[in-house]
Amino acid sequence: MTSKPMNRRPTANNHRNRSPETAKKLGRLHPRNPHQGRYDFAVLTRALPELAKHTITNPNGEPTINFSDHQAVRVLNQALLAHYYGVKFWDIPEGYLCPPIPGRADYIHYVADLLAQTSHTNDDNLPPTGKEIHALDIGTGASAIYPIIGSQSYGWRFTASDIDPISVNTAALICDANPKLKGAVKVKLQPNSKKFFAGIIGRQDYFDVVVCNPPFHASLEEAMESNTRKQHNLQRHRGKNESEQVSRSSTKSGNAAQNLNFGGQHKELWSEGGEITFLTKMIKESQDFAEHVGWFTSLVSKSENVKPLQLLLKQLDVTQMRIIEMSQGQKNTRILAWRFNTDEE
């Protein structure tokens, strides 16, 4: 197994990882996130001329798109990926999750900070870069958005897994079609829908970090109720920062199950027991792979799930856990991160 980096442990096992700069800028994206403020439609349209067909003018006379139009949001994502990450060929099947890129980028940048502060410290306090960093994306979806952002922002190498064959095939096609992704991302099908790491992590594998965006609804009904709230918020905040609006965008029209303003297939949006059950199972299985992973992390969408997950981690005697808070416009979320003692440490 690949040897692990030396770790410089913080004095406390559990603490909130909110820098003074972050505390002063609640509601703002991570300082290294390139998607700050309003989108520059002139620049994005040069990267993808098709965006001009979907560009409209808001009441202030500024260029924007209709964030309730799933085609417009998809093309905007294509333009963002082309301009900021050099990914020229990107598309997803109808009805699959069209991710809000600014928020997804925030996750990667905060994870980079986590590595820089702990397992990969250096004199310059800079995040680690290069293919020596191996990340695992659990549930990558058809978009492969985390491997794209992580590999192009920091040069990391990714393994991306999913239980859905269509997602796996689409993500693999995206990586094969883009020279910048080829060789940087390996996409694998998880053959057992009840497992997270078994069947994906081999005996000789070592991952510096795991990232995951779990399905956060427990049922279709819960997802639809959330959609109604988001549509209301979209109307209230229309005309504000587009980076915020894209996270509420519509990516599929059609029947009720697909007409969610965040799009997505069943496996992407809801699972039995919802987010808390999903992450409870993931945490329990992570014990078996403690020697293969530096940091396990996952988004936690619902704040009420944080405390029970922290209690579970304490029961499992983790070495460290962190809650990394993020705020993107009107949306607040957080990353849960944990690691275990191992013999090598």
Side-chain angles (χ1 to χ4, degrees), residues 47-58:
L48 188 73
E50 185 184 351
L51 181 61
K53 300 177 183 177
H54 301 276
T55 302
I56 59 177
T57 302
N58 69 16

Side-chain angles (χ1 to χ4, degrees), residues 310-337:
Q310 285 180 305
L311 290 174
L312 173 62
L313 287 168
K314 289 177 181 178
Q315 293 169 3
L316 299 180
D317 197 27
V318 297
T319 307
Q320 298 173 53
M321 75 172 85
R322 293 192 177 191
I323 305 297
I324 304 170
E325 297 177 356
M326 300 186 296
S327 187
Q328 297 129 22
Q330 299 294 318
K331 180 181 179 181
N332 296 314
T333 187
R334 71 283 312 155
I335 301 167
L336 175 65

Side-chain angles (χ1 to χ4, degrees), residues 113-156:
D113 287 346
L114 175 67
L115 297 181
Q117 295 162 6
T118 56
S119 55
H120 293 76
T121 56
N122 57 63
D123 293 338
D124 297 324
N125 295 318
L126 296 175
T129 59
K131 291 186 177 181
E132 293 78 12
I133 304 300
H134 194 183
L136 172 60
D137 180 15
I138 298 293
T140 195
S143 68
I145 196 65
Y146 289 129
I148 290 173
I149 295 172
S151 65
Q152 300 312 300
S153 298
Y154 297 104
W156 297 348

